[in-house]
Short mmCIF file of all heavy atoms in Angstrom, two decimals:
data_model
loop_
_atom_site.label_atom_id
_atom_site.label_comp_id
_atom_site.label_asym_id
_atom_site.label_seq_id
_atom_site.Cartn_x
_atom_site.Cartn_y
_atom_site.Cartn_z
N MET A 176 152.46 -69.44 -38.25
CA MET A 176 151.39 -68.50 -38.67
C MET A 176 150.86 -67.65 -37.48
O MET A 176 150.53 -66.49 -37.68
CB MET A 176 150.28 -69.28 -39.39
CG MET A 176 150.68 -69.95 -40.73
SD MET A 176 151.25 -68.75 -41.95
CE MET A 176 153.01 -68.56 -41.68
N ASN A 177 150.81 -68.27 -36.31
CA ASN A 177 150.36 -67.48 -35.13
C ASN A 177 151.37 -66.46 -34.85
O ASN A 177 151.06 -65.38 -34.34
CB ASN A 177 149.92 -68.42 -34.03
CG ASN A 177 148.41 -68.85 -34.09
OD1 ASN A 177 147.55 -67.99 -34.34
ND2 ASN A 177 148.25 -70.16 -34.00
N ASP A 178 152.67 -66.89 -34.96
CA ASP A 178 153.71 -65.88 -34.73
C ASP A 178 153.64 -64.66 -35.74
O ASP A 178 153.84 -63.48 -35.37
CB ASP A 178 155.12 -66.54 -34.83
CG ASP A 178 155.37 -67.52 -33.63
OD1 ASP A 178 154.68 -67.27 -32.53
OD2 ASP A 178 156.08 -68.45 -33.77
N THR A 179 153.38 -65.08 -36.96
CA THR A 179 153.27 -64.04 -38.03
C THR A 179 152.01 -63.10 -37.70
O THR A 179 152.15 -61.91 -37.90
CB THR A 179 153.07 -64.69 -39.41
OG1 THR A 179 154.14 -65.64 -39.63
CG2 THR A 179 153.07 -63.63 -40.54
N LEU A 180 150.98 -63.72 -37.23
CA LEU A 180 149.81 -62.95 -36.82
C LEU A 180 150.18 -61.95 -35.66
O LEU A 180 149.83 -60.83 -35.78
CB LEU A 180 148.69 -63.88 -36.38
CG LEU A 180 147.44 -63.19 -35.88
CD1 LEU A 180 146.71 -62.50 -37.08
CD2 LEU A 180 146.47 -64.25 -35.26
N LYS A 181 150.84 -62.45 -34.72
CA LYS A 181 151.23 -61.59 -33.58
C LYS A 181 152.12 -60.43 -34.13
O LYS A 181 152.05 -59.30 -33.68
CB LYS A 181 152.09 -62.43 -32.50
CG LYS A 181 151.23 -63.33 -31.73
CD LYS A 181 150.38 -62.57 -30.73
CE LYS A 181 149.21 -63.45 -30.23
NZ LYS A 181 148.01 -62.69 -29.94
N LEU A 182 153.06 -60.76 -35.03
CA LEU A 182 153.94 -59.75 -35.53
C LEU A 182 153.16 -58.71 -36.29
O LEU A 182 153.35 -57.45 -36.16
CB LEU A 182 154.98 -60.39 -36.47
CG LEU A 182 156.12 -59.60 -37.01
CD1 LEU A 182 156.91 -58.89 -35.89
CD2 LEU A 182 157.11 -60.40 -37.84
N GLY A 183 152.15 -59.24 -37.07
CA GLY A 183 151.23 -58.31 -37.77
C GLY A 183 150.43 -57.41 -36.78
O GLY A 183 150.36 -56.16 -37.00
N GLU A 184 149.95 -58.07 -35.73
CA GLU A 184 149.12 -57.25 -34.71
C GLU A 184 149.92 -56.20 -34.04
O GLU A 184 149.36 -55.22 -33.60
CB GLU A 184 148.47 -58.22 -33.77
CG GLU A 184 147.37 -59.05 -34.35
CD GLU A 184 146.87 -60.17 -33.40
OE1 GLU A 184 147.62 -60.51 -32.46
OE2 GLU A 184 145.80 -60.70 -33.63
N SER A 185 151.23 -56.49 -33.98
CA SER A 185 152.13 -55.59 -33.18
C SER A 185 152.34 -54.26 -33.85
O SER A 185 152.63 -53.28 -33.28
CB SER A 185 153.47 -56.29 -32.84
OG SER A 185 154.23 -56.29 -34.01
N GLY A 186 152.17 -54.35 -35.23
CA GLY A 186 152.48 -53.17 -36.05
C GLY A 186 153.97 -53.12 -36.50
O GLY A 186 154.37 -52.24 -37.23
N LEU A 187 154.69 -54.10 -36.11
CA LEU A 187 156.17 -54.14 -36.49
C LEU A 187 156.42 -54.82 -37.88
O LEU A 187 157.52 -54.71 -38.35
CB LEU A 187 156.91 -54.97 -35.39
CG LEU A 187 157.09 -54.22 -34.07
CD1 LEU A 187 157.61 -55.21 -33.01
CD2 LEU A 187 158.09 -53.07 -34.19
N MET A 188 155.39 -55.44 -38.33
CA MET A 188 155.59 -56.16 -39.66
C MET A 188 155.98 -55.14 -40.78
O MET A 188 156.83 -55.51 -41.61
CB MET A 188 154.28 -56.90 -40.06
CG MET A 188 154.38 -57.75 -41.32
SD MET A 188 155.72 -59.00 -41.22
CE MET A 188 154.76 -60.48 -41.21
N SER A 189 155.40 -54.07 -40.77
CA SER A 189 155.68 -53.13 -41.89
C SER A 189 157.18 -52.78 -41.88
O SER A 189 157.86 -52.79 -42.94
CB SER A 189 154.90 -51.82 -41.74
OG SER A 189 155.05 -51.20 -40.48
N GLY A 190 157.76 -52.64 -40.71
CA GLY A 190 159.16 -52.30 -40.61
C GLY A 190 160.05 -53.51 -41.04
O GLY A 190 160.98 -53.31 -41.70
N ALA A 191 159.54 -54.66 -40.79
CA ALA A 191 160.28 -55.89 -41.16
C ALA A 191 160.21 -56.08 -42.67
O ALA A 191 161.14 -56.72 -43.24
CB ALA A 191 159.67 -57.14 -40.45
N LEU A 192 159.20 -55.55 -43.31
CA LEU A 192 159.12 -55.68 -44.74
C LEU A 192 159.82 -54.59 -45.56
O LEU A 192 160.34 -54.91 -46.60
CB LEU A 192 157.62 -55.66 -45.18
CG LEU A 192 156.78 -56.81 -44.72
CD1 LEU A 192 155.30 -56.53 -44.86
CD2 LEU A 192 157.17 -58.15 -45.44
N ILE A 193 159.86 -53.44 -45.01
CA ILE A 193 160.49 -52.26 -45.74
C ILE A 193 161.97 -52.27 -45.40
O ILE A 193 162.41 -51.49 -44.49
CB ILE A 193 159.77 -50.96 -45.49
CG1 ILE A 193 158.31 -51.05 -45.73
CG2 ILE A 193 160.38 -49.90 -46.38
CD1 ILE A 193 157.54 -49.81 -45.42
N ARG A 194 162.74 -53.11 -45.95
CA ARG A 194 164.14 -53.24 -45.52
C ARG A 194 165.14 -53.20 -46.68
O ARG A 194 164.89 -53.69 -47.73
CB ARG A 194 164.36 -54.60 -44.78
CG ARG A 194 163.70 -54.68 -43.47
CD ARG A 194 164.10 -55.90 -42.68
NE ARG A 194 165.52 -56.06 -42.62
CZ ARG A 194 166.42 -55.29 -41.93
NH1 ARG A 194 165.98 -54.31 -41.24
NH2 ARG A 194 167.65 -55.54 -41.99
N ASN A 195 166.18 -52.42 -46.46
CA ASN A 195 167.30 -52.38 -47.38
C ASN A 195 168.49 -52.01 -46.55
O ASN A 195 168.70 -50.82 -46.26
CB ASN A 195 166.98 -51.35 -48.50
CG ASN A 195 168.22 -51.30 -49.44
OD1 ASN A 195 169.26 -51.86 -49.22
ND2 ASN A 195 168.04 -50.58 -50.56
N PRO A 196 169.24 -53.01 -46.13
CA PRO A 196 170.42 -52.76 -45.19
C PRO A 196 171.50 -51.82 -45.85
O PRO A 196 172.29 -51.30 -45.09
CB PRO A 196 170.99 -54.14 -44.99
CG PRO A 196 169.97 -55.13 -45.40
CD PRO A 196 169.11 -54.43 -46.50
N SER A 197 171.44 -51.60 -47.13
CA SER A 197 172.45 -50.81 -47.84
C SER A 197 172.26 -49.28 -47.60
O SER A 197 173.09 -48.53 -47.79
CB SER A 197 172.48 -51.11 -49.32
OG SER A 197 172.59 -52.45 -49.53
N VAL A 198 170.97 -48.90 -47.31
CA VAL A 198 170.70 -47.53 -47.20
C VAL A 198 169.77 -47.28 -45.97
O VAL A 198 169.13 -48.18 -45.53
CB VAL A 198 170.02 -46.94 -48.48
CG1 VAL A 198 170.99 -46.97 -49.70
CG2 VAL A 198 168.77 -47.82 -48.80
N VAL A 199 169.85 -45.99 -45.56
CA VAL A 199 168.96 -45.64 -44.35
C VAL A 199 167.62 -45.14 -44.91
O VAL A 199 166.61 -45.07 -44.15
CB VAL A 199 169.56 -44.63 -43.46
CG1 VAL A 199 170.74 -45.18 -42.72
CG2 VAL A 199 169.89 -43.34 -44.19
N THR A 200 167.50 -44.75 -46.11
CA THR A 200 166.27 -44.24 -46.67
C THR A 200 165.27 -45.39 -46.88
O THR A 200 165.71 -46.55 -47.19
CB THR A 200 166.48 -43.48 -47.99
OG1 THR A 200 167.36 -44.28 -48.82
CG2 THR A 200 167.02 -42.10 -47.75
N ARG A 201 163.98 -45.14 -46.71
CA ARG A 201 163.03 -46.19 -46.86
C ARG A 201 161.98 -45.74 -47.95
O ARG A 201 160.81 -45.68 -47.70
CB ARG A 201 162.29 -46.40 -45.56
CG ARG A 201 163.21 -47.08 -44.54
CD ARG A 201 163.51 -48.58 -44.98
NE ARG A 201 164.39 -49.26 -44.10
CZ ARG A 201 165.76 -49.36 -44.25
NH1 ARG A 201 166.38 -48.74 -45.26
NH2 ARG A 201 166.47 -50.03 -43.36
N PHE A 202 162.49 -45.40 -49.15
CA PHE A 202 161.64 -44.96 -50.19
C PHE A 202 160.79 -46.13 -50.80
O PHE A 202 159.77 -45.95 -51.26
CB PHE A 202 162.44 -44.29 -51.29
CG PHE A 202 163.06 -43.04 -50.90
CD1 PHE A 202 164.47 -42.84 -51.08
CD2 PHE A 202 162.36 -41.99 -50.27
CE1 PHE A 202 165.05 -41.63 -50.83
CE2 PHE A 202 162.97 -40.81 -49.91
CZ PHE A 202 164.32 -40.61 -50.23
N ASN A 203 161.47 -47.32 -50.82
CA ASN A 203 160.87 -48.50 -51.49
C ASN A 203 160.01 -49.25 -50.54
O ASN A 203 160.51 -50.07 -49.69
CB ASN A 203 161.97 -49.31 -52.07
CG ASN A 203 161.30 -50.43 -52.99
OD1 ASN A 203 160.09 -50.62 -52.98
ND2 ASN A 203 162.17 -51.18 -53.70
N ASN A 204 158.70 -49.04 -50.67
CA ASN A 204 157.79 -49.77 -49.77
C ASN A 204 157.04 -50.86 -50.51
O ASN A 204 155.99 -51.29 -50.08
CB ASN A 204 156.80 -48.76 -49.18
CG ASN A 204 155.94 -48.10 -50.22
OD1 ASN A 204 156.30 -48.04 -51.37
ND2 ASN A 204 154.80 -47.61 -49.82
N GLN A 205 157.66 -51.41 -51.54
CA GLN A 205 157.07 -52.43 -52.39
C GLN A 205 156.52 -53.59 -51.57
O GLN A 205 155.36 -54.03 -51.67
CB GLN A 205 158.06 -52.97 -53.37
CG GLN A 205 157.64 -54.19 -54.12
CD GLN A 205 158.83 -54.93 -54.84
OE1 GLN A 205 159.37 -54.31 -55.77
NE2 GLN A 205 159.10 -56.07 -54.49
N ASN A 206 157.36 -54.16 -50.72
CA ASN A 206 156.91 -55.34 -50.02
C ASN A 206 155.79 -55.18 -49.06
O ASN A 206 154.91 -55.97 -48.80
CB ASN A 206 158.11 -56.05 -49.31
CG ASN A 206 159.11 -56.73 -50.34
OD1 ASN A 206 158.87 -56.62 -51.59
ND2 ASN A 206 160.13 -57.42 -49.86
N TYR A 207 155.84 -53.95 -48.44
CA TYR A 207 154.74 -53.58 -47.54
C TYR A 207 153.38 -53.49 -48.32
O TYR A 207 152.40 -53.99 -47.92
CB TYR A 207 155.08 -52.20 -46.89
CG TYR A 207 153.99 -51.65 -45.95
CD1 TYR A 207 153.18 -52.49 -45.26
CD2 TYR A 207 153.82 -50.32 -45.79
CE1 TYR A 207 152.25 -52.02 -44.38
CE2 TYR A 207 152.88 -49.73 -44.99
CZ TYR A 207 152.03 -50.60 -44.25
OH TYR A 207 151.07 -50.20 -43.41
N GLN A 208 153.44 -52.85 -49.51
CA GLN A 208 152.21 -52.73 -50.32
C GLN A 208 151.74 -54.07 -50.78
O GLN A 208 150.53 -54.24 -50.90
CB GLN A 208 152.49 -51.70 -51.48
CG GLN A 208 152.80 -50.37 -51.11
CD GLN A 208 151.88 -49.30 -51.66
OE1 GLN A 208 150.72 -49.37 -51.47
NE2 GLN A 208 152.46 -48.38 -52.36
N LEU A 209 152.69 -54.91 -51.13
CA LEU A 209 152.28 -56.16 -51.82
C LEU A 209 151.93 -57.28 -50.77
O LEU A 209 151.35 -58.27 -51.16
CB LEU A 209 153.38 -56.69 -52.77
CG LEU A 209 153.68 -55.72 -53.94
CD1 LEU A 209 154.74 -56.35 -54.84
CD2 LEU A 209 152.36 -55.57 -54.75
N PHE A 210 152.27 -57.04 -49.51
CA PHE A 210 152.02 -58.09 -48.51
C PHE A 210 150.51 -58.41 -48.42
O PHE A 210 150.12 -59.57 -48.31
CB PHE A 210 152.47 -57.55 -47.12
CG PHE A 210 152.37 -58.61 -46.08
CD1 PHE A 210 153.32 -59.58 -45.81
CD2 PHE A 210 151.31 -58.61 -45.17
CE1 PHE A 210 153.22 -60.50 -44.79
CE2 PHE A 210 151.12 -59.47 -44.12
CZ PHE A 210 152.11 -60.44 -44.03
N LEU A 211 149.65 -57.34 -48.51
CA LEU A 211 148.18 -57.52 -48.45
C LEU A 211 147.52 -57.90 -49.78
O LEU A 211 146.29 -57.91 -49.80
CB LEU A 211 147.56 -56.37 -47.77
CG LEU A 211 147.96 -56.11 -46.26
CD1 LEU A 211 147.38 -54.79 -45.81
CD2 LEU A 211 147.42 -57.26 -45.43
N GLU A 212 148.31 -58.01 -50.84
CA GLU A 212 147.73 -58.31 -52.09
C GLU A 212 146.99 -59.67 -51.97
O GLU A 212 147.56 -60.64 -51.40
CB GLU A 212 148.82 -58.34 -53.18
CG GLU A 212 148.47 -58.99 -54.51
CD GLU A 212 147.42 -58.32 -55.36
OE1 GLU A 212 146.34 -57.96 -54.88
OE2 GLU A 212 147.68 -58.02 -56.56
N GLY A 213 145.86 -59.70 -52.51
CA GLY A 213 144.96 -60.89 -52.30
C GLY A 213 143.73 -60.52 -51.69
O GLY A 213 143.21 -59.42 -51.85
N ASP A 214 143.13 -61.44 -50.89
CA ASP A 214 141.81 -61.26 -50.38
C ASP A 214 141.66 -59.96 -49.50
O ASP A 214 140.67 -59.20 -49.63
CB ASP A 214 141.39 -62.47 -49.57
CG ASP A 214 141.12 -63.63 -50.47
OD1 ASP A 214 140.95 -63.46 -51.65
OD2 ASP A 214 141.04 -64.79 -49.93
N PRO A 215 142.60 -59.67 -48.58
CA PRO A 215 142.41 -58.47 -47.75
C PRO A 215 142.19 -57.18 -48.62
O PRO A 215 141.19 -56.47 -48.33
CB PRO A 215 143.76 -58.39 -46.96
CG PRO A 215 144.25 -59.75 -46.95
CD PRO A 215 143.92 -60.33 -48.27
N LEU A 216 143.08 -56.93 -49.53
CA LEU A 216 142.91 -55.69 -50.29
C LEU A 216 141.70 -55.76 -51.21
O LEU A 216 140.93 -54.77 -51.33
CB LEU A 216 144.14 -55.39 -51.15
CG LEU A 216 145.25 -54.64 -50.50
CD1 LEU A 216 146.48 -54.42 -51.41
CD2 LEU A 216 144.75 -53.27 -50.04
N HIS A 217 141.43 -56.87 -51.76
CA HIS A 217 140.39 -57.03 -52.73
C HIS A 217 139.01 -56.96 -52.02
O HIS A 217 138.05 -56.24 -52.53
CB HIS A 217 140.45 -58.33 -53.55
CG HIS A 217 141.39 -58.28 -54.65
ND1 HIS A 217 141.14 -58.24 -55.95
CD2 HIS A 217 142.80 -58.27 -54.61
CE1 HIS A 217 142.26 -58.14 -56.69
NE2 HIS A 217 143.30 -58.23 -55.88
N ASN A 218 138.90 -57.54 -50.88
CA ASN A 218 137.68 -57.35 -50.09
C ASN A 218 137.42 -55.89 -49.65
O ASN A 218 136.24 -55.44 -49.77
CB ASN A 218 137.64 -58.26 -48.89
CG ASN A 218 137.62 -59.75 -49.27
OD1 ASN A 218 137.28 -60.04 -50.39
ND2 ASN A 218 138.05 -60.62 -48.40
N ALA A 219 138.47 -55.26 -49.13
CA ALA A 219 138.39 -53.89 -48.76
C ALA A 219 137.93 -52.98 -49.99
O ALA A 219 137.10 -52.11 -49.83
CB ALA A 219 139.63 -53.38 -48.18
#
Side-chain angles (χ1 to χ4, degrees):
Chain A
M176 292 298 91
N177 274 311
D178 289 334
T179 306
L180 178 67
K181 288 287 165 211
L182 189 54
E184 288 172 343
S185 73
L187 289 168
M188 183 58 112
S189 54
L192 291 170
I193 308 176
R194 288 190 49 73
N195 178 350
S197 308
V198 292
V199 294
T200 44
R201 289 293 177 264
F202 295 129
N203 186 352
N204 60 338
Q205 169 195 296
N206 287 3
Y207 177 32
Q208 296 237 58
L209 295 180
F210 184 85
L211 292 174
E212 165 68 306
D214 291 343
L216 273 178
H217 283 254
N218 293 339

